Amino acid sequence: MGTAVLTLLGCGVVANVTLRDTLGNNGGWLLVNFGWGFAVFAGASIAAPSNAHINPAVTLGLAVNEQVPWSQVPVYIAAQLIGATLGAVLCWLAYKLQFDEHDDPAGTRGIFCTGPTVPNAPWNLVTETIGTFVLVLWIILSPQAGVGETPGVPDFGNAALGYAAVAFIVIGIGNSLGGPTGYAINPARDLGPRIAYAVLPIRGKSSADWGYSWVPVVGPSIGGALAGALALVLPIS
């Protein structure tokens, strides 16, 4: 359910900025970044009973870091992908009238999934890897990681922020590293809505760009795994 809320609110803010007949039209990149950051906060908070797993890259990083049993990884990822697809469908339902009236229906793919400003798969992969590496390393090494009674909620440091703390790092990554590819930093967040876009009856839509779709899946997965591996060998006081 947490990942569904993540993509409902995250895709929702992009729809609000992109679609013509909305109050947020042309709200800009900063509004999108803040929207996605608080979407992560909402999704992680709702997913707290299942340890706030709303990102396969984080799940993979925690497994590499020996904090999550590998046997649980496929279950988490399947649930995340289903939830992300559902959330994207709910976003479309919320903005159905605006989709119908939009004057550039072929340009609506970006509401659902990411794409590079300069297409170059190897370098786009590097960008996604670096952004996700920062996110997952922060989650593992910050006071947010596994020190409270509830995993992901700290007993010290940024305890007053709770899951809102991760919203700030997501906003920071978006502002600093999101420009080249749109910063998926979450395979389910990109693939689930991409699947939804491919099957939804959106008037005049473009293709789902499956040729690029592997980049925001593989890049974040590599970044998450590298962060989990590095955290194993870093001295932590």
Side-chain angles (χ1 to χ4, degrees):
M1 190 62 187
T3 311
V5 171
L6 166 71
T7 55
L8 168 60
L9 298 182
C11 294
V13 71
V14 186
N16 195 19
V17 168
T18 302
L19 297 175
R20 184 186 64 189
D21 296 326
T22 68
L23 297 178
N25 180 248
N26 291 322
W29 179 244
L30 192 58
L31 177 58
V32 169
N33 286 347
F34 271 91
W36 270 108
F38 291 121
V40 171
F41 161 67
S45 299
I46 290 172
S50 60
N51 298 334
H53 283 255
I54 59 173
N55 184 340
V58 175
T59 300
L60 180 60
L62 291 174
V64 171
N65 197 246
E66 300 177 354
Q67 295 190 42
V68 171
W70 282 100
S71 60
Q72 295 181 9
V73 171
V75 178
Y76 274 126
I77 292 178
Q80 290 156 357
L81 183 58
I82 292 170
T85 306
L86 174 61
V89 172
L90 293 175
C91 170
W92 171 73
L93 289 172
Y95 282 92
K96 172 65 166 59
L97 297 180
Q98 285 70 31
F99 273 103
D100 290 345
E101 297 297 324
H102 189 53
D103 53 3
D104 181 23
T108 55
R109 182 178 63 222
I111 293 172
F112 294 86
C113 51
T114 63
T117 56
V118 180
N120 183 309
W123 283 111
N124 301 151
L125 188 73
V126 169
T127 299
E128 285 291 338
T129 298
I130 292 172
T132 312
F133 175 84
V134 172
L135 172 65
V136 178
L137 190 67
W138 180 86
I139 288 173
I140 293 175
L141 295 184
S142 77
Q144 192 104 355
V147 297
E149 293 183 4
T150 301
V153 178
D155 281 336
F156 60 90
N158 55 18
L161 295 175
Y163 286 119
V166 75
F168 289 105
I169 192 67
V170 170
I171 292 169
I173 291 169
N175 287 338
S176 300
L177 301 172
T181 61
Y183 78 118
I185 60 173
N186 180 335
R189 165 266 175 276
D190 194 273
L191 183 57
R194 195 180 296 268
I195 292 170
Y197 182 73
V199 300
L200 285 171
I202 299 173
R203 177 186 61 84
K205 67 181 179 181
S206 60
S207 74
D209 194 12
W210 294 113
Y212 177 77
S213 64
W214 65 273
V215 172
V217 172
V218 175
S221 299
I222 294 172
L226 288 175
L230 178 61
L232 279 176
V233 299
L234 288 177
I236 305 175
S237 57

